[in-house]
Amino acid sequence: MSESAMKEVNLQSIRAASDPEGLGSARLEEQTRLYEGFATTNIGVWNRLVGELHDAVMSRATEICERQLMKEGFGPPPAPYAFIAFGSAGRNEQTLWSDQDNGLVIEENGDPAAKDYFAIFGPRLSHILEKSGYPPCPGNVMVSNPLWRKTVKEWGRQLENWRSELGWEQVRYLMIAADMRHIAGDGSLSAAFRRVMHDVFERKSSPEQDLGAAVLRNTVRHKAALNVLGQVITEQNGEHAGDFDVKYGLYLPIVNAIRYLAVVYGVSGSSTLERLNQLNQLEAVPFRWLELSQKAFYTALRFRSLASYKEEGGVLSGTGFLPGEWLRKKEIRSELREALGTVKLMYRTLQRQQRYAERKWL
């Protein structure tokens, strides 16, 4: 399939789906068509098309969920809500086989029935999404979990609690929240969530409670998957022995480094590319550094979709590993080493910043 034939996603069957099974079938048909054109499609165009597909499926899932509850006698939603995405969906960087990372922002209207309704709505929506081809999030960052299903005021208190503790897990939760993106429902609630989050992130604090420093401590745990000889580090054992972990070895180190800079400079974009563009506008880091980071990021996106996957019951699920036979291809190995070299450069810069920050606390 030529790139000219891949300018848009066919969303008609997705928008017409009336049940989870039909939605899953429509999604599988369209993502199969997209995947057939992957090799001839620019990675930036590809990333946009995949995002449009997922947004349409997730949005339709919320409509199906509302209809199901109406038919079962629960009535319409007793309060406006926003269905939001986190993780790669929040950054609009999914693969075709991404899992669930989502939540709800609910309007506080004083109706006691709202809490009961959304306690049913959340798990039901998560179930519909699973039926539509989205595996559950291993970390349980899902609308079915009350931790990720709150009113604006409750979100404010939760974010403030995480901000006040700044342990490893609390910082991880804050960074998950930082990737929030509106998917469906009342967009003003998503905007309110983002304003609350911005206020929490920008709150002045003592050096010991500095959010940027805490995020930096979490971020530098990831290292570029290159050894001292500049060789790519692959899996040593198990079913993926000899394969390369694209997600944790390349993609997430880039995402985390750019997200850290976004927090430090108050950048509001939720996607990695938006953050890079805004950092460039602020002249926050050298242009060459940003240019190399963008190139490495595109490489990470492409390799994530080249990673091996499996199909079970009509559902595609990715392994996140680039097969060893791909690494034996000279052009692939060269491109991967170049991207990992950029990650190594990025993290040397971050580690210097961490050492400087630690000296300031002494």
Side-chain angles (χ1 to χ4, degrees):
M1 185 183 299
S2 66
E3 184 171 335
S4 61
M6 291 283 289
K7 295 296 185 183
E8 58 184 29
V9 186
N10 183 0
L11 303 178
Q12 185 175 355
S13 59
I14 290 170
R15 290 169 176 162
S18 59
D19 55 44
E21 291 75 19
L23 184 59
S25 296
R27 174 197 166 176
L28 183 60
E29 180 180 351
E30 185 58 18
Q31 70 182 29
T32 300
R33 187 186 76 86
L34 285 180
Y35 194 70
E36 289 172 352
F38 172 72
T40 57
T41 305
N42 171 275
I43 189 60
V45 174
W46 167 264
N47 189 61
R48 174 180 61 79
L49 293 172
V50 172
E52 289 175 2
L53 168 65
H54 286 305
D55 284 3
V57 174
M58 291 188 289
S59 181
R60 186 58 179 167
T62 64
E63 296 169 357
I64 291 172
C65 188
E66 285 190 25
R67 288 185 182 184
Q68 284 189 353
L69 294 186
M70 284 276 288
K71 288 180 179 179
E72 294 172 20
F74 292 99
Y81 71 91
F83 179 57
I84 56 178
F86 301 110
S88 62
R91 296 187 300 273
N92 209 5
E93 297 164 5
Q94 301 111 301
T95 62
L96 285 175
W97 38 80
S98 292
D99 57 16
Q100 294 189 48
D101 281 286
N102 47 54
L104 282 185
V105 185
I106 305 163
E107 183 176 274
E108 184 74 69
N109 65 358
D111 185 350
K115 186 173 183 179
D116 294 336
Y117 176 89
F118 287 107
I120 298 169
F121 181 93
R124 179 69 62 90
L125 178 54
S126 183
H127 177 72
I128 291 171
L129 288 168
E130 186 173 357
K131 286 286 187 181
S132 303
Y134 297 93
C137 170
N140 204 21
V141 181
M142 295 189 294
V143 69
S144 55
N145 183 352
L147 186 66
W148 302 98
R149 187 180 70 237
K150 299 179 181 297
T151 65
V152 175
K153 288 184 179 179
E154 289 170 340
W155 271 117
R157 289 193 292 269
Q158 181 66 81
L159 292 168
E160 187 59 51
N161 287 340
W162 290 338
R163 175 69 176 79
S164 63
E165 295 187 39
L166 292 185
W168 183 88
E169 185 174 66
Q170 288 78 21
V171 172
R172 184 173 73 89
Y173 285 160
L174 285 171
M175 293 305 94
I176 289 172
D179 290 340
M180 185 279 292
R181 186 169 65 90
H182 177 78
I183 299 296
D186 189 335
S188 67
L189 291 170
S190 295
F193 176 104
R194 188 161 288 282
R195 285 194 299 272
V196 169
M197 180 173 61
H198 179 268
D199 291 343
V200 170
F201 278 25
E202 293 297 310
R203 177 171 59 79
K204 292 185 178 180
S205 59
S206 64
E208 295 81 4
Q209 287 296 108
D210 182 71
L211 178 60
V215 173
L216 183 57
R217 287 196 298 272
N218 276 35
T219 300
V220 296
R221 292 182 179 215
H222 289 284
K223 302 292 189 297
L226 285 175
N227 64 21
V228 293
L229 299 177
Q231 299 168 323
V232 176
I233 299 174
T234 58
E235 295 297 298
Q236 299 300 305
N237 303 296
E239 63 175 311
H240 292 291
D243 297 346
F244 176 74
D245 189 339
V246 178
K247 180 177 180 179
Y248 290 98
L250 177 62
Y251 170 68
L252 281 181
I254 297 172
V255 167
N256 291 341
I258 300 303
R259 183 169 49 203
Y260 158 71
L261 292 172
V263 170
V264 170
Y265 289 97
V267 163
S268 59
S270 59
S271 80
T272 302
L273 288 175
E274 284 177 331
R275 289 165 175 167
L276 279 169
N277 288 334
Q278 292 175 21
L279 288 167
N280 181 42
Q281 291 169 8
L282 292 172
E283 299 182 350
V285 289
F287 176 75
R288 180 59 177 162
W289 193 93
L290 290 169
E291 191 176 46
L292 290 171
S293 299
Q294 185 178 60
K295 184 178 180 181
F297 178 69
Y298 276 128
T299 297
L301 286 183
R302 192 165 69 84
F303 284 175
R304 285 181 77 216
S305 289
L306 279 176
S308 56
Y309 68 92
K310 56 186 177 181
E311 182 177 346
E312 295 180 358
V315 176
L316 293 177
S317 59
T319 65
F321 288 90
L322 196 63
E325 56 265 27
W326 282 89
L327 299 179
R328 288 191 283 275
K329 297 181 178 182
K330 184 178 179 180
E331 65 276 15
I332 293 289
R333 189 169 64 252
S334 176
E335 191 175 357
L336 179 58
R337 288 179 63 181
E338 182 180 352
L340 289 171
T342 296
V343 173
K344 198 167 188 177
L345 173 65
M346 294 168 74
Y347 276 73
R348 281 176 180 167
T349 302
L350 296 183
Q351 286 164 346
R352 284 197 296 270
Q353 290 190 19
Q354 184 186 30
R355 288 193 292 270
Y356 174 72
E358 288 173 346
R359 284 198 299 270
K360 286 204 307 182
W361 298 342
L362 297 177

